[in-house]
């Protein structure tokens, strides 16, 4: 009943709000000539769950480097994978049928890397990522996912080892101050801002990468931890950290189980309450900041006095005292 020609409305599974069963119905139609007549038929639609791959890795790399690319691994749920190049081949794909693969990069150019994931129900989705390959080396320091480290902590940093390339490391805030090779073991020995830099050379061509860190101080693990020798049955014990340090949080624990919420250090005493105790319990306190986590040395044990049993009293008693 309208003058326009056939119009196709394209919908995706996301338009329906995700996986599930839906009914779709056209409710009105009109154009410049006026309102038309709507077919009121309702059509059932089933939207199947689909895993959507997302290529992760380094997207600007050097020729001849071996780089790892990956997407979330759903193979345990039945997904299968297929890696390939769209257009020109950008390198040798080591494991094209896995969720993660190493690729030996080809000569300098820009390539299109694709991964296709087939969900257990047969739904297929793909991701394409542009990979730029340069003649200039492109080192990538790992780990690079945690900017906070602990004073005196030793961490191994590395970058992919490319045959024929040389590596020079420079460290600020840690030892050694310099190094060679594609990896270096750094002990962070000065609190504050630090960094590790690598320069990779391929003949006259060089590339660099840097990781910045914050070196956090270690807590004083010798702080006194006071606790009552005993408490009555089903009552709370208060554990006191004496002269707590600012910049640290203190978490009361029994074994490795947290009790209550942590408290921030104030420079003075802080009180950490237990739960109601019904049996003898050994406590410890974890002191931590962004980069450090250590248990305080003192681990007090609190005894629980037996519950008073009025039924056990016999004879005539003029006064009763708790033990």
């Amino acid at each position: 009943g309208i003058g326009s020609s056939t119009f196709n409305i394209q919908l995706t599974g996301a338009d329906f709000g995700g996986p599930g069963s839906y009914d779709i119905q056209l409710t009105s139609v009109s154009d410049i000539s006026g309102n038309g007549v709507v077919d009121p038929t309702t059509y059932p639609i089933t939207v199947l769950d689909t895993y959507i791959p997302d290529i992760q890795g380094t997207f600007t790399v050097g020729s001849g480097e071996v780089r790892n690319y990956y997407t979330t691994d759903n193979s345990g749920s039945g997904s299968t994978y297929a890696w390939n190049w769209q257009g020109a081949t950008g390198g040798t794909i080591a494991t094209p049928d896995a969720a993660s693969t190493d690729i030996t990069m080809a000569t300098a150019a820009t390539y299109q890397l694709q991964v296709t994931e087939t969900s257990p129900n047969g739904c297929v989705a793909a991701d394409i990522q542009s990979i730029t390959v340069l003649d200039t080396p492109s080192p990538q320091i790992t780990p690079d996912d945690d900017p906070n480290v602990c004073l005196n902590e030793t961490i191994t940093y590395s970058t992919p080892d490319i045959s024929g390339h040389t590596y020079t490391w420079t460290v600020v805030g840690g030892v050694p101050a310099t190094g060679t090779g594609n990896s270096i073991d750094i002990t962070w020995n000065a609190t504050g801002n630090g960094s590790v830099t690598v320069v990779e050379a391929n003949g006259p061509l060089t590339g660099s990468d840097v990781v910045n860190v914050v070196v956090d101080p270690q807590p004083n693990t010798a702080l006194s931890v006071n606790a009552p020798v005993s408490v009555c049955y089903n009552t709370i014990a208060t554990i006191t950290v004496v002269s707590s340090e600012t910049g640290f949080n203190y978490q009361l624990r029994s074994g490795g189980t947290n009790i209550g919420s942590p408290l921030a250090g104030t420079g003075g005493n802080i009180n950490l309450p237990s739960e109601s105790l019904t049996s003898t319990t050994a406590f410890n306190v974890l002191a931590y900041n962004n980069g450090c986590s250590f248990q305080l040395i003192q681990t007090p044990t609190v005894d629980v006095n037996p519950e008073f049993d009025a039924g056990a009293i016999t004879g005539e008693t003029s006064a009763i005292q708790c033990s």
Side-chain angles (χ1 to χ4, degrees):
I2 59 176
S4 303
S5 61
T6 300
F7 184 80
N8 293 321
I9 302 173
Q10 179 171 296
L11 301 173
T12 69
D15 294 325
F16 289 91
S21 297
Y22 304 90
D23 290 324
I24 186 171
Q25 181 185 42
L26 190 64
T27 58
S28 66
V29 60
S30 63
D31 65 3
I32 194 171
S33 65
N35 294 326
V37 178
V38 174
D39 176 0
T41 304
T42 297
Y43 296 92
I45 297 289
T46 299
V47 179
L48 301 178
D49 194 9
T50 307
Y51 291 117
I52 307 297
D54 182 21
I55 297 174
Q56 300 293 312
T58 304
F59 304 138
T60 300
V61 299
S63 176
E65 293 181 344
V66 178
R67 294 288 185 167
N68 181 261
Y69 296 93
Y70 62 94
T71 185
T72 301
D73 188 356
N74 299 306
S75 58
S77 300
S79 283
T80 58
Y81 301 89
W83 294 83
N84 65 286
W85 296 101
Q86 293 293 298
T89 298
T92 302
I93 300 173
T95 52
D97 56 352
S100 173
T101 183
D102 288 338
I103 299 179
T104 303
M105 309 312 301
T107 55
T110 298
Y111 304 95
Q112 302 300 317
L113 177 63
Q114 175 175 282
V115 62
T116 302
E117 180 171 354
T118 303
S119 298
N121 54 30
C123 292
V124 178
D127 185 31
I128 296 179
Q129 176 63 52
S130 178
I131 308 294
T132 300
V133 181
L134 304 175
D135 284 330
T136 303
S138 300
Q140 182 186 23
I141 298 174
T142 57
D144 62 353
D145 55 351
D146 188 358
N148 291 95
V149 297
C150 186
L151 181 67
N152 295 325
E153 182 179 6
T154 299
I155 300 177
T156 299
Y157 294 88
S158 64
T159 187
D161 188 11
I162 309 302
S163 178
H165 291 202
T166 60
Y167 305 87
T168 303
W169 298 84
T170 304
V171 179
V172 176
V175 290
T178 60
T180 58
N182 75 302
S183 68
I184 186 172
D185 295 331
I186 299 174
T187 300
W188 296 104
N189 64 346
T191 58
N193 294 327
S195 65
V196 53
T197 303
V198 64
V199 176
E200 180 179 348
N202 179 18
L205 300 175
T206 61
S208 65
D209 189 25
V210 60
V211 169
N212 295 307
V213 300
V214 176
V215 184
D216 293 305
Q218 290 185 354
N220 178 6
T221 59
L223 296 179
S224 295
V225 181
N226 296 336
V229 175
S230 63
V231 295
C232 290
Y233 184 87
N234 206 30
T235 60
I236 290 173
T238 298
I239 314 301
T240 301
V241 177
V242 180
S243 300
S244 64
E245 296 180 284
T246 58
F248 289 92
N249 291 314
Y250 295 87
Q251 174 67 60
L252 181 64
R253 304 188 303 172
S254 178
T257 302
N258 292 342
I259 300 174
S261 300
L263 291 181
T266 62
N269 298 351
I270 58 172
N271 295 322
L272 302 170
S274 72
E275 298 172 335
S276 296
L277 300 181
T278 57
S279 62
T280 297
T281 304
F283 294 98
N284 63 81
V285 176
L286 186 71
Y288 65 93
N289 54 23
N290 289 330
C292 299
S293 178
F294 288 90
Q295 179 178 300
L296 301 189
I297 295 172
Q298 289 191 353
T299 56
T301 296
V302 179
D303 292 328
V304 175
N305 292 326
E307 184 177 16
F308 177 66
D309 184 4
I313 299 174
T314 60
E316 295 182 0
T317 304
S318 59
I320 299 173
Q321 286 186 323
C322 292
S323 61

